Amino acid sequence: MNHSYDLIVIGGGVLGTFHAYHAVNKGLKVALIEKDIQPQGATVRNFGQVVPSGMNTKWQNFGRESLAIYKDIQKKFDITVREEGSIYIASNAEEVQLLEELNSINKSNSYTSELLTAKQCLDNYPGLKKDYVKAGLFFPKEVKVEPRTMILKLHEYLRNKGLDIYMGETVMDCDALRSGVQLTTSKNKQFSSKKVIICNGSDFKILYPSYFEESDLIVSKLQMMQTKSQTNYTLPSSVLTGLSIRRYESFTECPSFSSIKAKENPNSLEKQWGVHILFKQADDGSVIIGDSHEYASAAQMEHLGFDLNMDIDHFILNEAKKIFDLPTYEIQNRWFGMYSQCKSTDIFQKTIDEDIHIVTGIGGKGMTGSAGFAKNNINSIFNLEHA
């Protein structure tokens, strides 16, 4: 039996799913094919923070579009979206300067942010340590989700809208025809489609491995952890800290960023392991803490290994304890995630024989940027810019 579609998306993570979402909204007949029983990659191994505030101008625009999309879906169907905002907390005068400069940029971009004094931060965030905080920058419109359940709920929502989803099916062959594309899965199912979009995250081994080996794609391994539920404690928003201010792309557009970065010690442990400290409270009251970044080329990603580096975990925990005095730092879960990104471009895109589109390497922008980017990309692929 041949299953025929206008579009087949390979990869059921957040980037692939939002491509399917926008195609369905355009009235196209769409299938989503995911090799695992449910997504296992970066989509479910992150904080679940949707933070356009951390992105450069181009991707902040995609992120702001994503915010509107998440909120619109949430009005119709619960996908765990909570509009609780995000705050960046500065620990010294240089970081305060960057917050003030970003706030000024936000005003010119009409993106709402609010500078908070140290006292306001301490009043609003229980357990925040007085000797750490110097100021804060709050983004009230930003949201968080529960990543391990959000994508499953989004799939359920899209099934109700007519999306065909095939889970646990690995696409083994993807061949361009004179008109359209023919696919075969590991279960020997045959599919045909006018267009195919491949959003395969950091899994490059099955389809077109030579393209990935020749690319400048790199893979990042991130470690994070989750405390046990915090008794009688509420963290009112997602929290990003001084190391995030020094790392996130939005701050690179601040006038003083380059001079501040030039003073940093390149041999510090936070630089060696790519650590910046984030806090996000989950629905069950636990707090997710992280993360770190270790890199390898796409062709050598196995060199990153499958073990957790406990020196990194201990460093993250020790730094976190300098910022927040949580009721408990007892850890119930530890894990790592893998995501791919490009050295030379902000996302990896390659078109094969006109109708096969590889879209991956979105890096750490996936949860925030995918919904907005995919809307733009579907319009481009199907020439629907003015639709």
Side-chain angles (χ1 to χ4, degrees), residues 57-293:
T57 299
K58 173 185 174 180
W59 281 91
Q60 185 181 106
N61 289 331
F62 287 139
R64 291 167 69 172
E65 181 71 28
S66 294
L67 285 178
I69 292 165
Y70 277 115
K71 292 174 187 179
D72 181 65
I73 296 172
Q74 183 65 28
K75 289 177 184 176
K76 303 167 185 173
F77 192 92
D78 179 17
I79 57 167
T80 77
V81 173
R82 290 182 285 161
E83 187 175 342
E84 297 180 0
S86 308
I87 189 170
Y88 295 76
I89 296 177
S91 66
N92 57 39
E94 290 179 336
E95 292 161 9
V96 172
Q97 183 175 351
L98 290 172
L99 291 187
E100 291 172 346
E101 291 173 0
L102 185 61
N103 187 52
S104 178
I105 292 171
N106 295 334
K107 287 180 180 177
S108 66
N109 292 341
S110 300
Y111 190 48
T112 303
S113 63
E114 178 185 355
L115 281 169
L116 301 180
T117 65
K119 183 180 185 305
Q120 287 174 309
C121 294
L122 290 166
D123 288 344
N124 292 333
Y125 291 83
L128 180 59
K129 293 201 170 181
K130 186 176 181 180
D131 59 355
Y132 181 86
V133 59
K134 299 296 182 288
L137 186 61
F138 182 61
F139 292 83
K141 295 182 179 180
E142 296 188 339
V143 306
K144 55 186 179 181
V145 301
E146 298 300 303
R148 298 188 184 190
T149 53
M150 185 283 291
I151 194 66
L152 303 180
K153 289 176 175 287
L154 184 56
H155 286 172
E156 184 181 352
Y157 171 69
L158 288 173
R159 281 192 184 96
N160 295 339
K161 287 177 65 70
L163 176 67
D164 289 345
I165 302 181
Y166 301 87
M167 306 300 289
E169 298 248 9
T170 302
V171 176
M172 305 300 294
D173 296 298
C174 183
D175 300 314
L177 305 176
R178 187 169 299 176
S179 177
V181 185
Q182 185 81 38
L183 286 76
T184 306
T185 73
S186 53
K187 295 182 180 178
N188 207 32
K189 286 184 182 175
Q190 300 290 318
F191 294 83
S192 62
S193 182
K194 296 176 183 175
K195 301 279 187 182
V196 168
I197 298 176
I198 302 170
C199 299
N200 53 355
S202 60
D203 181 13
F204 309 130
K205 290 185 176 181
I206 299 173
L207 294 173
Y208 307 108
S210 61
Y211 286 124
F212 294 111
E213 289 185 10
E214 295 165 1
S215 74
D216 68 345
L217 278 163
I218 58 175
V219 177
S220 179
K221 178 182 179 181
L222 303 86
Q223 291 184 199
M224 56 201 78
M225 64 198 81
Q226 182 179 26
T227 71
K228 291 193 173 180
S229 183
Q230 305 288 332
T231 303
N232 299 321
Y233 178 84
T234 300
L235 194 62
S237 75
S238 296
V239 175
L240 306 96
T241 64
L243 291 177
S244 307
I245 294 169
R246 294 171 177 273
R247 182 178 180 89
Y248 273 12
E249 290 181 352
S250 58
F251 294 96
T252 67
E253 299 180 350
C254 294
S256 63
F257 183 82
S258 294
S259 61
I260 289 173
K261 290 291 284 186
K263 301 175 187 177
E264 295 180 355
N265 177 9
N267 299 314
S268 65
L269 289 178
E270 58 263 31
K271 292 294 182 186
Q272 178 183 336
W273 290 324
V275 169
H276 65 130
I277 308 300
L278 314 177
F279 301 84
K280 179 239 180 172
Q281 192 164 34
D283 277 345
D284 66 357
S286 65
V287 173
I288 301 173
I289 304 169
D291 57 4
S292 60
H293 300 75

